[in-house]
Amino acid sequence: MGKFTKKKDGIHLDRRSFLKGAALGVAGIALPLHKADASVWEAFFQKRFIEMNDAEKKQVLARLEREYEEKYKIAIKVGDEKAIPGVLFGYGLDLSRCIGCRRCVYACVEENNQSKDPQIQWISVLRFKKGEKWVDLENSDRYYNPELVPEEGYFTMPVQCQQCENPPCVRACPTQATWKEPDGIVVVDYNWCIGCRYCMAACPYGARHFNWAEPGRKPEELNPETHYLGNRPRYKGVVEKCTFCIQRTRKGLYPACVEACPVGARKFGNLLDPNSEIRYAIEHKRVFRLKEDLNTNPKFYYFFAYGT
Amino acid sequence: MTKKLKAGPVLYLILLAAIIVLPVIARAEDDDISNKFFVPPPPFSPGIFPCSQCHRGMPVNKHPRKLQMHQEIADNFKHMPGGWCFDCHNPDNRDKLRLANGKLVSFKKSYILCGQCHGVVLRDWKVGLHGKRTGMWNGKKEYRLCVNCHWPHNPPFKAIKPLPPPVRPADIK
């Protein structure tokens, strides 16, 4: 039976159960027919964002803003800044500087409206003992909690979406709810995600996160500057991940994690611009990418500035 | 052949121009450094600047010794081995820093001082790789002074308290 929920705090369609119902040929799915629920129909027959024309987008953004306002009682702006022509975003992380302080993790949560309870964090900081075989992500410690960092004998490595040029998550999605934008950012259309989590299984970096419950966060703590494909409030049952702060970077701003890093380990810019700091890092420092053998071709470069 | 001959006077003119213009360029380059890197104000302790409020007219003693003032700096000083205050500070006008070649630089440009001995790091800093820039990745950026992150008198980056670890899956209710 297709179910979609219209709670007092907003509307979200459970597209998965609807599709399941449809596939099973269950007739008479209870869709509301009175006028007040027009927006439910609108939401349901909404195209994927990538297929909409500007007028359709405008309509959808306005509808979302209405829904969010009703749900959170604050005005939330949902933008749709497009990719800047001639830009392919790349990220650099200097492992010789990172001290594992997790400032980036929490700056990201604030900026990108992650749920606090249950907790979702797009950045995980992994700790490794120096000298150990380390690019073994599974054997790292992410719960370290010393009095002070850096700690003698350890180094730390933050991991988030690697924005692969060849993203396995995109291929795994049965509804094409996730795709790679022209500026290289892999995005999720939360109104198309059915929550099957195939993408999570496909991601070699553990970078995708699932909303098992309704995202929990005080409305007054929401960042009201959002992007449709980025930090707008999510729904129960959808997958989310780092988008290089699409709502900031498409306006020319640095991502929140770059701004928050106290040691300056985080670098960001246009891979197509030979004068960008990211290009400088790639050309002058020893860089590597995570699990390069998988041919995912990440646009997230780790490097060691010290000693090179 | 004739072409080469014709080039002669032109070349001469260029050289002449270079001789006249070069000193101007050299000076301009200095200004360039000041204007190109937008930095926050130096992180002085409140009330300490200008230094001349006390140092004007004070006798200068260049010898390492116990100080009646700033002793915490002398006590914790650990930078270049055998170094002392006047490797960086200017004895005559304490409101400026002094380079090895005798040139004075303002505290707003203390990175020039650091760059004398840390040339590679300064180069990386200018292109945004060492240290930190905020603002626009495709436009105006604010740099951080070296001394925003490194106390010049004992420069290793100071350890800080990490923010809390994530909740373990088992702890999620």
Side-chain angles (χ1 to χ4, degrees):
Chain A
M1 185 64 175
K3 85 168 181 282
F4 61 92
T5 42
K6 181 176 190 304
K7 302 204 195 89
K8 59 180 182 310
D9 54 348
I11 298 154
H12 177 59
L13 300 166
D14 188 341
R15 195 177 293 269
R16 175 173 52 175
S17 34
F18 179 81
L19 290 181
K20 206 165 64 188
L24 290 171
V26 178
I29 290 163
L31 287 174
L33 294 169
H34 43 101
K35 204 166 146 228
D37 287 301
S39 77
V40 176
W41 283 102
E42 250 175 63
F44 200 78
F45 290 107
Q46 173 183 324
K47 293 184 197 164
R48 296 191 307 138
F49 202 67
I50 195 175
E51 290 165 341
M52 291 179 206
N53 63 33
D54 284 346
E56 289 168 325
K57 279 184 186 169
K58 226 176 121 190
Q59 216 180 335
V60 165
L61 298 180
R63 191 195 78 231
L64 285 173
E65 287 178 355
R66 268 199 320 275
E67 286 175 10
Y68 288 143
E69 175 140 27
E70 195 181 309
K71 182 168 177 181
Y72 300 110
K73 312 291 178 232
I74 61 162
I76 293 198
K77 190 186 150 284
V78 186
D80 71 331
E81 288 79 9
K82 294 177 184 55
I84 304 168
V87 170
L88 187 65
F89 286 127
Y91 205 107
L93 207 151
D94 184 351
L95 291 177
S96 61
R97 306 277 173 243
C98 177
I99 57 176
C101 70
R102 300 199 185 93
R103 300 291 186 278
C104 52
V105 174
Y106 289 88
C108 174
V109 167
E110 287 312 312
E111 170 67 31
N112 289 296
N113 291 327
Q114 274 109 301
S115 170
K116 293 188 181 173
D117 183 20
Q119 186 181 62
I120 291 185
Q121 296 181 342
W122 290 354
I123 304 175
S124 300
V125 187
L126 311 182
R127 189 186 71 170
F128 301 90
K129 224 188 190 92
K130 277 188 180 152
E132 253 175 20
K133 175 173 178 284
W134 60 276
V135 190
D136 192 357
L137 303 188
E138 287 70 28
N139 285 335
S140 62
D141 178 6
R142 64 182 63 188
Y143 304 106
Y144 66 88
N145 196 19
E147 195 50 42
L148 295 171
V149 289
E151 291 174 275
E152 196 67 50
Y154 291 97
F155 74 93
T156 47
M157 179 169 77
V159 178
Q160 61 210 70
C161 174
Q162 307 282 302
Q163 311 293 355
C164 305
E165 265 304 276
N166 184 18
C169 53
V170 166
R171 265 175 282 129
C173 179
T175 59
Q176 291 171 289
T178 183
W179 64 86
K180 193 179 71 189
E181 288 273 293
D183 52 8
I185 304 178
V186 174
V187 295
V188 179
D189 186 335
Y190 311 119
N191 283 65
W192 266 84
C193 175
I194 59 170
C196 69
R197 294 178 275 115
Y198 289 177
C199 58
M200 291 172 67
C203 174
Y205 308 104
R208 287 175 168 258
H209 305 270
F210 185 61
N211 287 279
W212 289 99
E214 178 66 20
R217 183 161 165 138
K218 296 198 188 88
E220 64 271 22
E221 286 177 0
L222 285 171
N223 172 8
E225 283 295 314
T226 77
H227 191 287
Y228 182 95
L229 299 171
N231 61 338
R232 69 181 167 103
R234 272 80 73 190
Y235 314 101
K236 177 180 173 182
V238 303
V239 168
E240 59 179 73
K241 64 178 228 6
C242 158
T243 64
F244 279 171
C245 279
I246 194 166
Q247 67 282 1
R248 296 175 58 89
T249 48
R250 286 199 176 165
K251 291 181 193 149
L253 296 167
Y254 276 114
C257 48
V258 170
E259 297 252 336
C261 179
V263 294
R266 291 173 165 271
K267 306 295 159 193
F268 180 81
N270 182 3
L271 288 168
L272 306 180
D273 172 5
N275 296 317
S276 65
E277 62 203 56
I278 182 67
R279 277 284 289 275
Y280 186 90
I282 292 169
E283 281 156 30
H284 293 86
K285 305 292 168 185
R286 215 151 34 89
V287 297
F288 72 94
R289 289 171 297 167
L290 280 185
K291 307 195 181 187
E292 241 162 1
D293 48 315
L294 299 179
N295 275 321
T296 49
N297 201 0
K299 293 188 292 297
F300 201 103
Y301 295 83
Y302 292 92
F303 65 99
F304 296 91
Y306 187 47
T308 46
Chain B
M1 206 51 210
T2 44
K3 260 192 194 144
K4 212 171 191 177
L5 276 175
K6 258 194 222 150
V10 177
L11 203 66
Y12 175 75
L13 273 177
I14 291 172
L15 273 175
L16 193 69
I19 290 163
I20 297 164
V21 173
L22 261 180
V24 181
I25 291 176
R27 248 180 287 138
E29 199 169 57
D30 214 40
D31 288 341
D32 190 41
I33 284 187
S34 62
N35 301 328
K36 207 158 141 194
F37 306 110
F38 175 57
V39 291
F44 285 123
S45 309
I48 200 143
F49 197 83
C51 319
S52 52
Q53 62 188 290
C54 295
H55 280 278
R56 183 178 293 118
M58 240 169 75
V60 176
N61 182 341
K62 296 194 180 176
H63 297 289
R65 65 189 187 288
K66 193 138 185 71
L67 300 177
Q68 287 154 33
M69 178 86 191
H70 324 307
Q71 183 54 34
E72 72 294 351
I73 291 179
D75 283 346
N76 294 305
F77 184 81
K78 191 166 177 288
H79 194 162
M80 45 265 198
W84 184 244
C85 319
F86 297 119
D87 290 326
C88 300
H89 291 286
N90 175 32
D92 306 323
N93 170 6
R94 215 54 66 92
D95 294 342
K96 299 261 180 188
L97 295 163
R98 205 177 75 139
L99 306 183
N101 65 10
K103 270 177 86 175
L104 303 186
V105 293
S106 134
F107 280 95
K108 292 183 200 133
K109 291 183 254 170
S110 53
Y111 49 85
I112 299 175
L113 171 83
C114 313
Q116 294 182 112
C117 305
H118 303 294
V120 178
V121 175
L122 179 66
R123 192 194 66 199
D124 281 358
W125 179 85
K126 286 181 179 172
V127 297
L129 215 60
H130 190 95
K132 168 172 170 173
R133 300 193 296 191
T134 51
M136 313 277 290
W137 60 265
N138 62 356
K140 187 166 178 175
K141 296 167 180 64
E142 187 180 33
Y143 284 70
R144 298 296 180 278
L145 290 166
C146 317
V147 295
N148 284 125
C149 296
H150 301 291
W151 191 45
H153 310 112
N154 192 339
F157 194 88
K158 295 286 166 295
I160 55 176
K161 198 171 163 39
L163 293 179
V167 290
R168 290 173 191 268
D171 298 339
I172 295 177
K173 299 152 287 259

